[in-house]
Amino acid sequence: MVELRHLKTLVTLRATGSLVDAADRLHLTQSALSHQLKTLEHLLNTELFIRKSKPLQFTPSGQRLLKLADDALPRFEAAHRDLQRLAKGQAGRLHLAIECHSCYQWLMPTLDAFRKKWPEVEVDVPGGHHFAPLPALKRQELDLVITADPRPIEGVVYSPLFRYESLLAIAKDHAFITKEFIEPSDLLAETLITYPVERNLLDVFTHFLDPAAVEPAGIRTAELTILMMQLVASHRGVCALPNWAMTEYLERDYVAARRLGKEGTWGTLYAAHRENQQTLAFITDFIQIARKTSAQVLTGIRPAA
């Protein structure tokens, strides 16, 4: 009567604390999630949680199922991984490159979780690339590339990880502080601080300024996010970053942020890999771990379609 999907649903509900957030994380509508839970309660002839409780409270029956989930799900995942290894081979190589300077906040815990599950896979994140990662992926010099700039390359496929919004960081007393959102023309007189990468890899250009044919008054680069925030706070310019990269600075009230455009400027982060790798269990598992981990450690992101 109780299925694995039911256990996963209850665990997600416990982690998020609300039906709305649980439905979002499970890629379900709220009505579909409510129906699933009501069906389970009907089958078991008992309520599993107290509706409209804040924080969400589980009944004794719900707590018993959560205990079962905590015991059964890790065992099921371990058995599933073992079967995958038996079918596909245990050893492998995962050399990946990152076209994203601010990815480490979620990538490092992703790699930690992956290494625990796949200790036989050789994982490497080589730094200081002096070549284009995506062509290197096609040449089999790399096995996976984290990118927000999918380009049509024969034999390369893109698995979406999550959607994110770019925000404009400004000094707390900047003139933009009175604006609800930023328009491209607002940056005509501003110095834009960016990472030292090609502009076609920066969402602020590809999704915001270039479509409006707007060029900022100046461009300045900085290697580290913390240096960019210092420059912004001292009125040396403004910078656009993914929302999660600014979280700690906004929480500390070090800088302020505004949306880029009335509807916001959204991008999608992908894991690029070769088409012939899609049957490799550790590749698909890395992608699933990345999606799960990013949802746990990042705020303001959305599931990718």
Side-chain angles (χ1 to χ4, degrees), residues 8-31 33-34 37 54 56 295-296 298-303:
K8 292 178 180 178
T9 293
L10 291 176
V11 168
T12 303
L13 188 59
R14 177 180 62 187
T16 59
S18 75
L19 285 171
V20 174
D21 293 337
D24 186 52
R25 186 172 294 186
L26 292 167
H27 306 286
L28 296 172
T29 63
Q30 187 177 350
S31 60
L33 179 59
S34 296
L37 291 167
K54 290 186 178 181
L56 188 70
Q296 292 173 341
L298 300 180
T299 58
I301 65 171
R302 295 176 180 175

Side-chain angles (χ1 to χ4, degrees), residues 172-189:
K172 292 190 297 179
D173 56 349
H174 194 285
F176 290 167
I177 205 73
T178 60
K179 298 178 70 69
E180 182 179 351
F181 59 88
I182 305 301
E183 299 180 17
S185 58
D186 291 330
L187 299 187
L188 282 169

